[in-house]
Amino acid sequence: MKRKKHNPLIPVLLTVVLLALTVLLFLLVRMLMDGRGFRTDSCEPEKRTEAGEIAIVTPAPTLLDLYVYFDWTETTTINVYDHRADKIVPMDLEEYIVGVVSAEMPAYYEFEALKAQAVASRTYTLYRMAHGRCQTNPDADVCTNSKCCQAFSTHERMQNTWGKDYANNYNRIAEAVMGTAGEVLVYDGKLCDALYHACSGGQTEDSEHVYANALPYLRGVDSPYEDPMRTEDVAIGEDALIELILTKYPDSGITDDNYRDLIAIDKAYPSGRVETLRLGKETITGKQARNLFGLRSTMFTIIWPEDGIVFHTKGFGHGVGMSQNGANGMAKHGSKYRDILLHYYTDVSIASYGADGIATPAPGDADIPPEPEG
Ligand SMILES: [Zn+2]
C-alpha cells in the first residue's frame, strides 16, 4: 500500500493564511469602530425612529479623518442653535457646513454642485456671523431653522432621511465640504452675502428687486441649465379666489363679475418676475402676490380657465444669487464649482477664510434669510 505523501510546505502556508485573515479581521473591526466616532450630540449608535424601526447605522468617516485626509489644520468653532432640540451646540464650522449642505441640497446632485453649495453656505454663514449673528437666538452664531439661517441635518436626521444610503451620501457631501474647506466668496476684499435659491426659472434676479439693497455681486444672470426646471400651475377656483383677495384686500373691489377684467400683471422685471400685480383698486408687489396665492416664485403668468384663475409659475425661491438647480445643470455640462460660483456671483473671487486679505465686512446690509430647498 502506497502511503500518501504530505507536502511539508502546507502547514506553513496554512499558518500564513490564518495570520493574514486575523490581521484583516482586526483592521475591519477597527474601521467599523472608528466610523462611530461622530462628534454631534444627536448621533447615537442605534436609535429607534418615530415609526419604531431601527435606524440604520453605517460607518461614516469622522470629520477628524477628513481633516487629516485633506491636510486641513485650521479649525473654527461656532455655536449652533438647534431649534428642534432647543439647545446650543458648539461645533466645528466645516462639520456644520456638512449638515447644512445635507439639508439644503439633494445629496444626489452633481459633486461640483455640492462643492459650490458648500462654498456658498460657508460664505453665507460667516457673513451672517459678521452681521449680527442669529436673529432667533442671539446667544448663538447661527441656528438650524431655514426660515432664519440655513437648514441643517444632524446625523440622526440624515440617517432617518437617507436610510441605507446614509454612509454614501454623508461621505459624498463631507468630501465636497472638505474639498473646499475654508473657501469663501469675497467681493472687494469682503465676505459676500451669498444668497441662493432652489431654481431661477432661467434667469436670476437683481438683489434690489427682491430685497432692500443693490449688491454688486448679486446681479441677475442667465441660468441656462436649470436641472430640473421647476414649473407649476396653481389653479384657484372662482369662490376661493374672491375670498382670498377680499380677506386680505377688502377695498380692492374685486367681485365674481369683474375679476377677469380687474386682475392683471401691472409691471414685470426684465427677468420675467412680476414687479406689481393689479387687484382692482389695489396694486400689490410680486412678493405679496407670491405669499397671497402660495406660489413658488414671482416668475409667473396668468391663464384664464372657465372658472377661476391659473398662475403658471417658473422657478422656486427668491431668485437671487446661485440657483441650486442651475448649479446642478452647469455641473452636468462640465462646469467646475468655481465656474458655477463665478457665474452666479458677479465679479467675486474665492478666498481662504482666515487668510490675510479678508477685511471685516461693514455691518448694515439687508438681513436676508435664504429660502429652503423645496
Ligand atoms: Zn438663526
Side-chain angles (χ1 to χ4, degrees):
M1 197 171 134
K2 204 175 172 186
R3 245 183 108 185
K4 205 175 173 184
K5 243 185 171 178
H6 284 286
N7 189 334
L9 271 175
I10 285 176
V12 179
L13 276 172
L14 272 173
T15 313
V16 170
V17 167
L18 261 171
L19 264 172
L21 278 173
T22 312
V23 170
L24 269 174
L25 193 70
F26 172 72
L27 285 174
L28 190 72
V29 168
R30 238 186 61 162
M31 263 173 62
L32 288 171
M33 298 297 283
D34 282 351
R36 293 190 168 180
F38 306 127
R39 286 197 274 150
T40 32
D41 295 347
S42 57
C43 182
E44 290 158 33
E46 189 178 271
K47 185 130 184 108
R48 287 198 174 270
T49 63
E50 276 170 33
E53 295 161 40
I54 301 280
I56 298 153
V57 177
T58 26
T62 64
L63 256 283
L64 209 62
D65 292 338
L66 289 162
Y67 272 102
V68 173
Y69 181 73
F70 288 102
D71 197 22
W72 174 254
T73 48
E74 277 184 57
T75 59
T76 305
T77 302
I78 62 169
N79 289 314
V80 179
Y81 172 59
D82 184 336
H83 75 292
R84 292 185 187 89
D86 189 25
K87 63 175 179 183
I88 292 177
V89 186
M91 140 179 2
D92 178 82
L93 171 67
E94 302 301 340
E95 183 177 12
Y96 165 72
I97 298 300
V98 173
V100 170
V101 175
S102 303
E104 291 281 2
M105 184 175 263
Y108 60 83
Y109 270 26
E110 295 293 311
F111 191 59
E112 292 297 321
L114 292 170
K115 283 166 86 175
Q117 180 67 47
V119 176
S121 285
R122 185 182 300 109
T123 308
Y124 181 88
T125 301
L126 294 168
Y127 180 92
R128 289 285 134 221
M129 285 167 63
H131 290 75
R133 307 172 89 199
C134 174
Q135 305 289 307
T136 305
N137 188 336
D139 293 331
D141 291 313
V142 287
C143 74
T144 55
N145 187 349
S146 65
K147 291 190 171 73
C148 174
C149 295
Q150 294 177 96
F152 175 87
S153 283
T154 58
H155 281 281
E156 189 185 345
R157 281 182 76 83
M158 292 178 204
Q159 287 171 34
N160 289 338
T161 307
W162 292 332
K164 63 179 172 47
D165 295 325
Y166 162 64
N168 277 345
N169 288 351
Y170 175 85
N171 289 346
R172 195 157 187 269
I173 289 170
E175 217 174 304
V177 170
M178 298 312 292
T180 63
E183 290 184 9
V184 290
L185 300 169
V186 293
Y187 179 88
D188 202 14
K190 291 176 186 167
L191 281 168
C192 296
D193 191 3
L195 295 175
Y196 56 88
H197 57 278
C199 176
S200 77
Q203 181 85 29
T204 71
E205 194 57 69
D206 293 339
S207 60
E208 67 273 24
H209 292 167
V210 183
Y211 301 108
N213 290 354
L215 294 171
Y217 49 85
L218 294 178
R219 300 295 87 206
V221 297
D222 282 341
S223 186
Y225 303 118
E226 293 287 343
D227 189 2
M229 171 67 91
R230 310 268 191 100
T231 56
E232 187 183 51
D233 285 341
V234 176
I236 304 173
E238 188 176 286
D239 294 346
L241 177 71
I242 306 300
E243 197 191 327
L244 205 56
I245 295 171
L246 291 183
T247 303
K248 183 87 180 169
Y249 303 101
D251 300 328
S252 60
I254 296 287
T255 67
D256 48 8
D257 288 328
N258 67 17
Y259 73 92
R260 282 170 182 268
D261 300 323
L262 298 187
I263 298 174
I265 290 169
D266 184 47
K267 274 191 256 175
Y269 294 115
S271 64
R273 285 183 183 77
V274 171
E275 184 180 355
T276 48
L277 178 76
R278 204 153 36 76
L279 295 178
K281 293 175 202 157
E282 300 270 5
T283 300
I284 66 173
T285 65
K287 273 170 86 175
Q288 288 171 320
R290 186 186 168 196
N291 287 336
L292 182 65
F293 301 116
L295 310 178
R296 284 176 170 179
S297 82
T298 59
M299 192 182 275
F300 65 83
T301 50
I302 292 174
I303 299 163
W304 295 109
E306 287 283 298
D307 170 84
I309 195 169
V310 172
F311 294 98
H312 176 70
T313 66
K314 275 173 88 178
F316 203 147
H318 52 64
V320 181
M322 183 179 79
S323 160
Q324 294 172 309
N325 293 359
N328 193 43
M330 279 184 75
K332 280 186 179 172
H333 282 79
S335 293
K336 299 295 176 197
Y337 76 99
R338 284 169 177 266
D339 307 326
I340 295 169
L341 292 165
L342 298 183
H343 174 75
Y344 285 109
Y345 301 103
T346 306
D347 295 336
V348 300
S349 47
I350 296 169
S352 272
Y353 175 66
D356 290 345
I358 295 185
T360 310
D365 292 344
D367 182 41
I368 314 163
E371 298 202 9
E373 161 76 8

